[in-house]
Amino acid sequence: MHDPLPDTRKSLNSSHRPRDRSVLLTACPATLIALICCVLPLLWMLAAIIANPDVRSELKMTQFRAALLERTLLYNGAAAVIATAMGLPAGLVLGRGRGPFAKLLWVILPAALLMPSLSYAYGWSQFVRLSRPFFRPMGITFIPGGNADIFRCIWSLAAWLWAVPAGLIGLALRRLDANVQQQALLDGALYRITFRQLAGPIIASLAVVTVLATQEFAVYEPTGISVVATEVRMVFDTGAMSSPDNSIAGTVSQGAGAKSPDQPARAAAAVATDLPLLCITILLSLLAIFAASRASAAEAVTVGPWPKSLDAPLWISIVAASLVLLNIGLPVFSLFASLRERFSIPYMWTEFGPQVQGAMIVAAIAASVASIAAFSAAGQWTPGLIALAGATFLVGGQLLAIALIRIYNRPWLDWAYNAWPVPVIAYVGRFGWLSLAAGRGTWTRPWQELRDMSAIDGASTFRTALSIIWPLAWPTLLAGGLLVGALSLTEVPATVLLFPQNPQVLTPMLMTWVHMARFDPMIQASLLMMIAVLVPALLALALFWIASHGKWKMLTRNSYRGGAETQRREVR
């Protein structure tokens, strides 16, 4: 029987459809936020490259810059390999595990990924300090900048970022055709076939973790290890590359680059320092997108519940549980074990309350702005928003902060530069792609059916969003905003360069203390930040659970079915 509904939809897209004046109103907030937080910084970077010949000339590699880039890719590439190897068994549990542990792992890994990288690395440094009697008989000494210390930094990054490949592999495994794997099980080649099917997500994981690791300087800086990220900060804050007279391990004067009289030259030099790595970052991002797209063929097959024969075996669950204890439990335990004074949350709140409150205020504003962008994008999608937000994320927090300093560090913009607006712009520009991705998720086929039926009834774009889309999608949209807020609490590169801030936040203080081998205020503040970031992280996970398993999923399905049947009867 001929379905009249597609013909009706075609008529909606014809030139006879009345002009919807609410499209601009609905799309304006997300577009305006993207222009301020993403487009302006990117335009400044582009202008700095075009207008400054010294920046363009840095694409010609000198021996020093080639060695710096090689060292950066070697260290962070090794971290990506270790993180992906550790994420593989956890991904198998996430993708083919049943029971409480598999469900708990979906909560633990994302929450651990949101932990402050600065505090996490300090926890591993405390573990090394506590384990010296064990390592000393083997001849292993963690001399600052030595091979053992470099491996500690690589391991710290891998143990922090291993949740990324675990999540990517787990999601890809859930989208694979279970019939193919069951046939492979009968043929005795289950793991070989599964690994071949997961080649795309594994390659994407290696590329993504490498990109994320290259943006972190707080892990390498305390012991003076030179990578591109540390050199970018050195150039902007001191005006020169690291050297014996300009040590990375020394505490850099925070905010020196923003206050210096030669700020334009330092900003251009920082862009020049990061430009070769930025080109490689773009290539790695394209590789990750290509590899992930190669694994998305599951949409063409029926993906249902997998048989029990494909369940993750017990030994893989034991390995995943051991990795959770190793990568999360051990550094946190080392922080507690290194305390000289009794652990007390009221005492820590008394000592660091103003800075934590300031961080939470700025993060709450950033989450609110990101949520507005998510709701606006869900109401009316503007092409190119995620591409702009993704590009701003890829340039890294340091270059984003430098761009904002050059744009807003002016007397007539003091109200924005010396208050919360500029940090909020930095955080939304850095992580706003998450909220925009949440809004983009409401433009898949089931949601488009709801929009089409609403348009048939003559509803405007804004009315459709207000009455149908937002009431159904609000858990996902708010979760995207909360993730931006959680990441804003723990962002190090942008926060340190934008120092001083009003209100004050805790991260610059931690960056000053991280150079001390064993310092109770650093340990206590790190633990307090870990506890604080769990609040928005767990709220976001709860909202995602509601969106995927709660009554909102049922409501969406029932609204689609009931609305479609009603519309079909009306058309007939």
Side-chain angles (χ1 to χ4, degrees), residues 336 339 341-348 523-524 527-528 531:
F336 279 101
L339 280 171
E341 300 179 0
R342 184 174 60 88
F343 176 74
S344 172
I345 292 181
Y347 171 76
M348 290 189 296
I523 300 173
Q524 293 167 352
L527 293 171
L528 188 59
I531 295 171

Side-chain angles (χ1 to χ4, degrees), residues 197-266:
Q197 290 179 303
L198 294 176
I202 290 174
I203 294 173
S205 299
L206 291 170
V208 170
V209 175
T210 301
V211 169
L212 294 176
T214 56
Q215 296 179 352
E216 290 293 326
F217 68 82
V219 176
Y220 296 106
E221 182 179 286
T223 51
I225 299 172
S226 174
V227 292
V228 171
T230 59
E231 295 295 344
V232 169
R233 188 189 177 204
M234 290 294 295
V235 168
F236 186 67
D237 276 345
T238 67
M241 291 282 193
S242 62
S243 64
D245 298 328
N246 192 28
S247 174
I248 296 174
T251 303
V252 179
S253 177
Q254 294 173 352
K259 299 175 183 177
S260 64
D262 59 340
Q263 180 193 108
R266 291 190 181 189

Side-chain angles (χ1 to χ4, degrees), residues 54-56 58-59 65 267-276 399:
D54 294 335
V55 176
R56 298 195 303 273
E58 295 301 332
L59 289 175
R65 293 188 182 277
V271 174
T273 303
D274 199 46
L275 195 56
L399 288 189

Side-chain angles (χ1 to χ4, degrees), residues 347-357 506 509 513 520-522 524-526 528:
Y347 171 76
M348 290 189 296
W349 185 260
T350 302
E351 289 292 319
F352 312 112
Q355 289 80 12
V356 175
Q357 289 178 12
L506 191 56
M509 189 181 297
W513 292 339
D520 263 24
M522 174 64 187
Q524 293 167 352
S526 297
L528 188 59

Side-chain angles (χ1 to χ4, degrees), residues 20-21 41 58 166 177 186 271 273 282 293 330 361 377 383 388 422 479:
D20 188 356
R21 299 182 182 274
E58 295 301 332
D177 188 356
L186 294 175
V271 174
T273 303
I282 294 173
S293 65
L330 196 55
I361 290 173
L388 288 172
V422 168

Side-chain angles (χ1 to χ4, degrees), residues 464-489:
T464 300
L466 182 64
S467 301
I468 299 177
I469 305 301
W470 293 344
L472 297 177
W474 70 265
T476 302
L477 302 178
L478 283 182
L482 281 173
L483 285 179
V484 175
L487 291 168
S488 301
L489 283 172

Side-chain angles (χ1 to χ4, degrees), residues 89-113:
L92 292 175
V93 175
L94 293 175
R96 286 291 184 260
R98 301 182 194 267
F101 177 68
K103 296 178 180 178
L104 186 62
L105 202 60
W106 279 108
V107 176
I108 293 175
L109 291 184
L113 185 61

Side-chain angles (χ1 to χ4, degrees), residues 130-174:
L130 294 171
S131 304
R132 282 176 183 172
F134 173 77
F135 289 113
R136 191 177 293 114
M138 295 185 292
I140 301 175
T141 57
F142 290 86
I143 301 173
N147 291 333
D149 190 53
I150 291 173
F151 181 78
R152 176 192 62 81
C153 295
I154 293 173
W155 179 267
S156 298
L157 285 171
W160 175 52
L161 295 171
W162 75 298
V164 174
L168 291 176
I169 292 170
L171 290 173
L173 195 56
R174 284 183 175 267

